[in-house]
Amino acid sequence: MKRLREKEREEQLQLLENLFDYLPIAAKVKDVNNDMRYTIWNKKAEELFECSGKEAIGKTDFEVMPNAAKLIRGEDEELVRTGISQSGIRRFFTNKNEERFTFQNNNLMTFSDGRKWIVYTAWDITDLKIMERNLRLAKEEAEESNRIKSAFLANMSHEIRTPLNAIVGFSSILATDLTEEEKTEYLNIIEQNNELLLQLINDILDLSKIEAGTLEYVYANIDINKMLSEIEQTTRLRLTNQNIVLRTVMPMSECLLYTDQRRITQVISNFISNALKFTTEGSITVGYDMPENGYVRFYVADTGTGIPPENIKKIFNRFVKLDSFKQGTGLGLAISQNIIKELKGEIGVESELGKGSIFWFTLPYQKMDAHLAIIA
């Protein structure tokens, strides 16, 4: 009779194992009367916990999951003591260090002969939890973007009003009796504020075009040395600080690129404008390096105040102004990043606080004959 019962139990256990293997969730069964050793470990459990049933059955958690065994044993003992089902979300890492999330449920089963089992089921909710996390991060980023944009719009009234007030005010003064020296000084002030106002408007328009995907690019063969010489001449006209030396480095006698000259000039000019704002003495160097690995690297280096390490990562974000007392929209570097990305290059900055910064970008380089047109 005893052998018959044992045979029936084995047959029932085999039937349960087969049923559990068809479940779409991980399922494990422990025998409370046998030191919480596993008696069933289905196929989904093998996949989820990277352990075969043959390795797990007949063993405890201290042998199968040593890192979490103490916590699991505590939960098992509480379940046996109270009989109250347990459920919750678990986070763990696989042997390949992949993050996983499960929703688990532990239940106590008591049989008529006094045997007790703990039935553990787990749903793999990794995709759901990661999607939830990404949505939360996206929401936080959107809220932060809206906050920054609101602050930017509030600041724009001040940024636009400042040059307008100067233009209107000094234009009115010009109508009065003034010496030639005063007229020249006031005209210079008006011209400077005209340029500032135009730059503010251009930045806003460019940003709108970038967001709408309508910023235009016109490709052509351009002479890089000639372009840098023109930028140098324009910068010297803006450079009023006699304590700053402007240098241009052109290591090649001839450098031709097939790209958009207007956009490249815009990026370099943005870099120079930043350098002029934060450099009171020393030098500003504009140039490019010898082509390497199919790319040419352009840079603007200064000996200015530098950038705090915690701000370097966000320097190319939209609406970011590291110094609220400096004029500007905080859009120039963000626009530059979009331009270089569109031109298939990379952009970055190296800086040391108190010693200066190097803003750089790369562009694909292909040696070309000046007399040949390249079709993109």
Side-chain angles (χ1 to χ4, degrees):
M1 180 67 92
K2 186 177 180 180
R3 289 181 179 178
L4 183 60
R5 287 179 180 175
E6 287 179 355
K7 186 178 179 181
E8 287 178 352
R9 285 183 182 178
E10 288 178 2
E11 290 176 350
Q12 289 173 355
L13 183 60
Q14 185 64 45
L15 178 61
L16 282 173
E17 287 177 351
N18 291 336
L19 289 173
F20 272 83
D21 277 340
Y22 282 100
L23 291 177
I25 59 175
K28 303 182 292 184
V29 176
K30 297 175 187 175
D31 189 343
V32 176
N33 304 93
N34 189 20
D35 193 29
M36 309 287 188
R37 295 182 184 277
Y38 286 104
T39 60
I40 295 176
W41 186 288
N42 78 345
K43 291 181 180 179
K44 279 293 180 182
E46 290 181 340
E47 296 173 10
L48 185 60
F49 300 106
E50 299 179 318
C51 179
S52 69
K54 291 181 180 179
E55 294 175 310
I57 292 174
K59 296 179 182 178
T60 68
D61 285 305
F62 290 97
E63 298 168 280
V64 180
M65 299 179 177
N67 294 333
K70 189 174 180 181
L71 172 65
I72 296 172
R73 179 57 63 93
E75 291 176 346
D76 290 346
E77 290 174 348
E78 181 182 355
L79 177 59
V80 172
R81 185 176 65 256
T82 64
I84 300 173
S85 298
Q86 301 166 337
S87 62
I89 294 173
R90 278 280 171 79
R91 174 176 177 261
F92 64 96
F93 289 87
T94 66
N95 295 331
K96 297 178 181 179
N97 203 34
E98 296 175 345
E99 188 179 29
R100 287 284 184 271
F101 291 91
T102 59
F103 180 80
Q104 70 173 44
N105 209 308
N106 301 339
N107 290 278
L108 181 67
M109 292 180 61
T110 303
F111 295 90
S112 58
D113 60 1
R115 287 181 301 143
K116 293 181 178 180
W117 280 1
I118 291 177
V119 180
Y120 170 99
T121 54
W123 289 260
D124 186 353
I125 58 170
T126 303
D127 292 341
L128 181 64
K129 293 297 291 183
I130 290 177
M131 184 185 300
E132 179 185 298
R133 178 193 295 164
N134 290 339
L135 286 173
R136 185 175 64 253
L137 291 174
K139 178 176 178 289
E140 291 173 356
E141 288 176 1
E143 289 174 347
E144 178 65 10
S145 178
N146 284 335
R147 186 193 66 78
I148 294 174
K149 185 177 286 188
S150 296
F152 162 75
L153 292 173
N155 184 56
M156 281 310 299
S157 61
H158 167 74
E159 293 291 346
I160 293 175
R161 191 182 298 117
T162 300
L164 273 177
N165 286 340
I167 293 168
V168 173
F170 284 101
S171 296
S172 300
I173 295 174
L174 283 175
T176 63
D177 291 332
L178 297 171
T179 64
E180 288 301 318
E181 184 178 349
E182 288 174 328
K183 286 183 179 179
T184 301
E185 180 183 355
Y186 294 160
L187 284 171
N188 286 335
I189 292 173
I190 291 172
E191 184 178 355
Q192 291 171 7
N193 281 277
N194 277 333
E195 291 177 1
L196 177 59
L197 185 60
L198 183 60
Q199 185 61 51
L200 289 170
I201 294 171
N202 284 337
D203 282 350
I204 295 170
L205 292 176
D206 282 346
L207 177 65
S208 299
K209 290 178 180 179
I210 287 171
E211 291 186 337
T214 59
L215 191 64
E216 296 179 351
Y217 292 85
V218 180
Y219 289 82
N221 282 343
I222 63 171
D223 184 333
I224 296 299
N225 290 349
K226 181 181 178 183
M227 179 190 74
L228 288 183
S229 296
E230 292 172 353
I231 292 174
E232 179 186 7
Q233 293 175 12
T234 303
T235 304
R236 289 193 182 281
L237 295 175
R238 297 166 57 192
L239 187 59
T240 57
N241 188 340
Q242 301 299 318
N243 296 321
I244 300 175
V245 177
L246 179 64
R247 301 191 182 99
T248 303
V249 177
M250 296 177 284
M252 299 173 67
S253 59
E254 185 180 64
C255 182
L256 300 174
L257 282 184
Y258 185 76
T259 188
D260 187 326
Q261 179 169 345
R262 182 179 58 167
R263 297 304 174 196
I264 297 304
T265 300
Q266 183 178 354
V267 174
I268 294 176
S269 296
N270 280 334
F271 286 177
I272 293 174
S273 294
N274 276 340
L276 291 172
K277 288 178 187 177
F278 296 100
T279 306
T280 56
E281 61 180 0
S283 64
I284 295 175
T285 305
V286 184
Y288 63 91
D289 298 325
M290 293 293 291
E292 186 177 353
N293 298 323
Y295 286 86
V296 59
R297 178 179 180 268
F298 295 83
Y299 62 86
V300 174
D302 64 65
T303 57
T305 57
I307 305 168
E310 65 272 16
N311 289 335
I312 287 180
K313 289 185 178 180
K314 61 183 180 181
I315 192 71
F316 291 101
N317 292 350
R318 294 178 180 182
F319 315 119
V320 171
K321 289 182 67 177
L322 299 186
D323 188 342
S324 58
F325 294 101
K326 300 291 185 180
Q327 287 184 313
T329 60
L331 295 174
L333 293 178
I335 292 170
S336 298
Q337 184 180 49
N338 277 277
I339 289 172
I340 297 304
K341 183 178 179 181
E342 182 67 27
L343 297 176
K344 312 303 181 186
E346 294 183 357
I347 193 169
V349 60
E350 301 164 14
S351 185
E352 187 174 349
L353 197 60
K355 293 189 176 181
S357 305
I358 302 175
F359 283 86
W360 58 267
F361 65 88
T362 61
L363 290 177
Y365 175 77
Q366 181 180 359
K367 189 174 182 180
M368 296 179 290
D369 191 321
H371 304 291
L372 294 178
I374 303 295
I375 300 176

